[in-house]
mmCIF file of all heavy atoms in Angstrom:
data_model
loop_
_atom_site.group_PDB
_atom_site.id
_atom_site.type_symbol
_atom_site.label_atom_id
_atom_site.label_comp_id
_atom_site.label_asym_id
_atom_site.label_seq_id
_atom_site.Cartn_x
_atom_site.Cartn_y
_atom_site.Cartn_z
ATOM 1 N N SER E 201 -4.201 -18.337 -2.564
ATOM 2 C CA SER E 201 -3.353 -18.024 -3.730
ATOM 3 C C SER E 201 -3.190 -19.194 -4.683
ATOM 4 O O SER E 201 -2.094 -19.749 -4.861
ATOM 5 C CB SER E 201 -2.010 -17.508 -3.232
ATOM 6 O OG SER E 201 -2.241 -16.363 -2.457
ATOM 7 N N TYR E 202 -4.319 -19.542 -5.269
ATOM 8 C CA TYR E 202 -4.411 -20.621 -6.257
ATOM 9 C C TYR E 202 -5.440 -20.156 -7.277
ATOM 10 O O TYR E 202 -6.246 -19.276 -6.965
ATOM 11 C CB TYR E 202 -4.859 -21.933 -5.568
ATOM 12 C CG TYR E 202 -3.923 -22.249 -4.432
ATOM 13 C CD1 TYR E 202 -4.142 -21.698 -3.161
ATOM 14 C CD2 TYR E 202 -2.776 -22.982 -4.647
ATOM 15 C CE1 TYR E 202 -3.240 -21.888 -2.135
ATOM 16 C CE2 TYR E 202 -1.863 -23.173 -3.623
ATOM 17 C CZ TYR E 202 -2.096 -22.616 -2.371
ATOM 18 O OH TYR E 202 -1.192 -22.786 -1.378
ATOM 19 N N PRO E 203 -5.443 -20.745 -8.480
ATOM 20 C CA PRO E 203 -6.414 -20.257 -9.471
ATOM 21 C C PRO E 203 -7.844 -20.608 -9.070
ATOM 22 O O PRO E 203 -8.136 -21.782 -8.813
ATOM 23 C CB PRO E 203 -6.006 -20.988 -10.759
ATOM 24 C CG PRO E 203 -5.100 -22.094 -10.346
ATOM 25 C CD PRO E 203 -4.549 -21.775 -9.002
ATOM 26 N N THR E 218 -1.916 -25.692 -7.575
ATOM 27 C CA THR E 218 -0.595 -25.369 -8.141
ATOM 28 C C THR E 218 0.410 -25.474 -6.996
ATOM 29 O O THR E 218 0.039 -25.831 -5.873
ATOM 30 C CB THR E 218 -0.594 -23.940 -8.737
ATOM 31 O OG1 THR E 218 -1.044 -23.022 -7.724
ATOM 32 C CG2 THR E 218 -1.514 -23.827 -9.937
ATOM 33 N N LYS E 219 1.650 -25.168 -7.262
ATOM 34 C CA LYS E 219 2.718 -25.101 -6.256
ATOM 35 C C LYS E 219 2.892 -26.405 -5.477
ATOM 36 O O LYS E 219 3.165 -26.393 -4.276
ATOM 37 C CB LYS E 219 2.460 -23.936 -5.293
ATOM 38 C CG LYS E 219 2.450 -22.590 -6.003
ATOM 39 C CD LYS E 219 2.304 -21.424 -5.080
ATOM 40 C CE LYS E 219 0.880 -21.136 -4.696
ATOM 41 N NZ LYS E 219 0.655 -19.789 -4.185
ATOM 42 N N ASN E 253 -6.720 -13.324 -4.373
ATOM 43 C CA ASN E 253 -5.439 -13.924 -4.743
ATOM 44 C C ASN E 253 -4.319 -13.011 -4.220
ATOM 45 O O ASN E 253 -4.522 -11.796 -4.107
ATOM 46 C CB ASN E 253 -5.378 -14.020 -6.279
ATOM 47 C CG ASN E 253 -4.143 -14.769 -6.751
ATOM 48 O OD1 ASN E 253 -3.159 -14.168 -7.171
ATOM 49 N ND2 ASN E 253 -4.176 -16.081 -6.663
ATOM 50 N N ASP E 254 -3.160 -13.584 -3.929
ATOM 51 C CA ASP E 254 -2.069 -12.742 -3.415
ATOM 52 C C ASP E 254 -1.669 -11.626 -4.385
ATOM 53 O O ASP E 254 -1.313 -10.526 -3.964
ATOM 54 C CB ASP E 254 -0.836 -13.591 -3.014
ATOM 55 C CG ASP E 254 -0.384 -14.590 -4.075
ATOM 56 O OD1 ASP E 254 -0.986 -14.620 -5.155
ATOM 57 O OD2 ASP E 254 0.589 -15.334 -3.805
ATOM 58 N N THR E 255 -1.766 -11.897 -5.691
ATOM 59 C CA THR E 255 -1.372 -10.853 -6.653
ATOM 60 C C THR E 255 -2.359 -9.683 -6.634
ATOM 61 O O THR E 255 -1.965 -8.530 -6.711
ATOM 62 C CB THR E 255 -1.309 -11.425 -8.081
ATOM 63 O OG1 THR E 255 -2.573 -12.033 -8.379
ATOM 64 C CG2 THR E 255 -0.210 -12.444 -8.219
ATOM 65 N N ILE E 274 3.796 -11.585 -7.899
ATOM 66 C CA ILE E 274 4.450 -12.440 -6.910
ATOM 67 C C ILE E 274 5.535 -13.238 -7.634
ATOM 68 O O ILE E 274 5.283 -13.867 -8.676
ATOM 69 C CB ILE E 274 3.446 -13.417 -6.254
ATOM 70 C CG1 ILE E 274 2.307 -12.675 -5.540
ATOM 71 C CG2 ILE E 274 4.182 -14.354 -5.271
ATOM 72 C CD1 ILE E 274 2.670 -11.897 -4.289
ATOM 73 N N GLY E 278 5.399 -19.611 -6.220
ATOM 74 C CA GLY E 278 4.790 -19.576 -7.550
ATOM 75 C C GLY E 278 5.027 -18.205 -8.181
ATOM 76 O O GLY E 278 5.568 -17.310 -7.526
ATOM 77 N N VAL E 279 4.621 -18.043 -9.445
ATOM 78 C CA VAL E 279 4.719 -16.714 -10.072
ATOM 79 C C VAL E 279 3.371 -16.341 -10.685
ATOM 80 O O VAL E 279 2.674 -17.206 -11.224
ATOM 81 C CB VAL E 279 5.772 -16.628 -11.204
ATOM 82 C CG1 VAL E 279 7.144 -16.955 -10.710
ATOM 83 C CG2 VAL E 279 5.413 -17.542 -12.363
ATOM 84 N N ASN E 280 3.062 -15.061 -10.603
ATOM 85 C CA ASN E 280 1.761 -14.642 -11.114
ATOM 86 C C ASN E 280 1.665 -13.120 -11.017
ATOM 87 O O ASN E 280 2.499 -12.476 -10.356
ATOM 88 C CB ASN E 280 0.654 -15.298 -10.273
ATOM 89 C CG ASN E 280 -0.744 -15.094 -10.815
ATOM 90 O OD1 ASN E 280 -0.921 -14.698 -11.974
ATOM 91 N ND2 ASN E 280 -1.736 -15.353 -9.980
ATOM 92 N N GLU E 309 -3.084 -15.413 -13.373
ATOM 93 C CA GLU E 309 -2.674 -16.827 -13.247
ATOM 94 C C GLU E 309 -1.751 -17.184 -14.411
ATOM 95 O O GLU E 309 -1.906 -18.227 -15.054
ATOM 96 C CB GLU E 309 -3.901 -17.756 -13.206
ATOM 97 C CG GLU E 309 -4.653 -17.726 -11.897
ATOM 98 C CD GLU E 309 -3.846 -18.251 -10.695
ATOM 99 O OE1 GLU E 309 -2.904 -19.033 -10.893
ATOM 100 O OE2 GLU E 309 -4.169 -17.816 -9.562
ATOM 101 N N GLN E 339 1.095 -25.139 -15.629
ATOM 102 C CA GLN E 339 2.036 -24.179 -15.034
ATOM 103 C C GLN E 339 3.424 -24.223 -15.689
ATOM 104 O O GLN E 339 4.446 -24.199 -14.990
ATOM 105 C CB GLN E 339 2.150 -24.390 -13.519
ATOM 106 C CG GLN E 339 0.825 -24.299 -12.748
ATOM 107 C CD GLN E 339 0.151 -22.940 -12.814
ATOM 108 O OE1 GLN E 339 -0.764 -22.753 -13.608
ATOM 109 N NE2 GLN E 339 0.566 -21.971 -12.019
ATOM 110 N N GLU E 342 5.536 -21.152 -14.772
ATOM 111 C CA GLU E 342 5.874 -21.180 -13.350
ATOM 112 C C GLU E 342 6.983 -22.189 -13.072
ATOM 113 O O GLU E 342 7.883 -21.944 -12.265
ATOM 114 C CB GLU E 342 4.612 -21.552 -12.558
ATOM 115 C CG GLU E 342 4.796 -21.574 -11.059
ATOM 116 C CD GLU E 342 3.457 -21.427 -10.337
ATOM 117 O OE1 GLU E 342 3.042 -20.288 -10.125
ATOM 118 O OE2 GLU E 342 2.815 -22.445 -10.021
HETATM 119 C C1 GLC W 291 0.605 -19.859 -8.195
HETATM 120 C C2 GLC W 291 -0.888 -19.717 -7.934
HETATM 121 C C3 GLC W 291 -1.306 -18.268 -7.986
HETATM 122 C C4 GLC W 291 -0.432 -17.432 -7.090
HETATM 123 C C5 GLC W 291 1.036 -17.663 -7.391
HETATM 124 C C6 GLC W 291 1.944 -16.902 -6.424
HETATM 125 O O1 GLC W 291 0.864 -19.480 -9.505
HETATM 126 O O2 GLC W 291 -1.624 -20.480 -8.866
HETATM 127 O O3 GLC W 291 -2.649 -18.128 -7.608
HETATM 128 O O4 GLC W 291 -0.744 -16.080 -7.260
HETATM 129 O O5 GLC W 291 1.341 -19.030 -7.306
HETATM 130 O O6 GLC W 291 1.700 -17.257 -5.113
#
Side-chain angles (χ1 to χ4, degrees):
S201 301
Y202 305 86
T218 54
K219 298 184 277 199
N253 186 259
D254 49 2
T255 55
I274 300 291
V279 300
N280 188 15
E309 286 295 336
Q339 303 297 99
E342 182 159 274

